[in-house]
Amino acid sequence: MDLPRGLVVLLGTAAAVIAGAGIMAVSWLVGPVFLALTLVIAVSPVHGRLRRRGLPNWVAATALVIGVYAILLSLVVVLVVSVAQLATEVPQYADRARDLADAAASELSRFGVGAQELRKVADSLDVGKVAGILGTVLSSVGGLASNIVFLLCLLLFLSVDAGSTGARMAVIAADRPEVAAALAKFAAGTRSYLVVSTVFGLIVAVLDGVALAIIGIPLPILWALLAFITNYIPNVGFVLGLLPPVVLALLEGGWQTAVWVVVIYSVLNFVVQTLIQPRFVGDSVGLSATVTFLALLFWAWLIGPLGAVLAIPLTLLVKLLLVDVDPKARWADAFLTARVRPE
């Protein structure tokens, strides 16, 4: 018996709310698991190429594990060292920050803004507190050791199981060809997105780091790494990667230096990330700009900052489960894809 369309919509909405609440409750697990899966998908072609060259499965699996570990650990090491350096740099700018706040308060008071209230805000500004927060974060890294060990173990198991992916896909294709095709499309789209984002992220990071080093902004490697990581965050990643170096440029060299940083970042973002990269990303994932932006907001709200980084792969997975595997739901592609091809 067919249910009324309105009831189907209500039941589907209720199920989505319940599923979302469940994902949010275990976001501490969903995020690392999907991150591990995404990393293995990204480097899995290495396993296939080594197997085609006649190497044993254990050698190919070992190479895959080493590749994944190298990517993850190199990012963690650079990030921890850079943040530790930042924690020692920030207190040096406390007096400079107070001077800038006093100057801003004086300028605003000329336009009728209450000087007394502004003075209180300026006096309460303490950049040293930022260093204390960073120190707390660094001291809590040890508490994250269990999560890191869990992620590394999960990466190991997924990398080992990657050797049997072809056989598993053959079994699925024999019984559910549409599911096998959707899984292959998801893996290909995720891999293409990661490759494109990584290549352009490296280009932007190198250019940003060189420009910051020339200008004389402290810790250019840290800000280049931040630009690289935020490149995986659609739409707003550029702003997130821009704010910290701009603030540091303001404290280091004044508003002129901060303006130069904004101009350089904006030009690079416009040329690389606005004009060039979207053409490749759109072709690789097939999602419209609106869907990409809404996906960013949704996944960041659901599972936190890691959801913002993994917003595109997570959206591709949901599309796989709800649209690609069901021929009756293919009409939804008209609202999700970047380019609609009428039949």
Side-chain angles (χ1 to χ4, degrees), residues 47-100:
H47 183 279
R49 291 175 184 174
L50 294 177
R51 290 289 291 156
R52 287 192 294 271
R53 293 184 178 181
L55 294 178
N57 184 60
W58 68 270
V59 175
T62 301
L64 184 61
V65 171
I66 293 175
V68 173
Y69 279 16
I71 294 173
L72 184 64
L73 293 179
S74 60
L75 288 176
V76 170
V77 169
V78 174
L79 185 61
V80 171
V81 172
S82 300
V83 171
Q85 293 176 344
L86 179 62
T88 61
E89 289 281 345
V90 168
Q92 303 177 14
Y93 298 99
D95 294 336
R96 175 62 176 163
R98 293 192 189 95
D99 293 339
L100 289 175

Side-chain angles (χ1 to χ4, degrees), residues 181-208:
L183 287 171
K185 183 179 179 181
F186 162 71
T190 299
R191 193 177 298 115
S192 298
Y193 167 74
L194 292 176
V195 169
V196 171
S197 297
T198 300
V199 170
F200 285 101
L202 286 174
I203 294 174
V204 171
V206 171
L207 295 177
D208 286 343

Side-chain angles (χ1 to χ4, degrees), residues 194-248:
L194 292 176
V195 169
V196 171
S197 297
T198 300
V199 170
F200 285 101
L202 286 174
I203 294 174
V204 171
V206 171
L207 295 177
D208 286 343
V210 171
L212 294 176
I214 294 174
I215 295 175
I217 305 302
L219 305 175
I221 295 179
L222 173 60
W223 309 130
L225 178 62
L226 180 63
F228 173 72
I229 294 175
T230 54
N231 187 65
Y232 293 98
I233 302 177
N235 304 113
V236 300
F238 162 70
V239 178
L240 297 177
L242 171 65
L243 289 178
V246 166
V247 173
L248 196 58

Side-chain angles (χ1 to χ4, degrees), residues 153-170:
C153 291
L154 184 61
L155 285 170
L156 173 62
F157 298 142
L158 287 174
S159 300
V160 171
D161 289 339
S164 60
T165 301
R168 299 175 191 273
M169 291 294 292

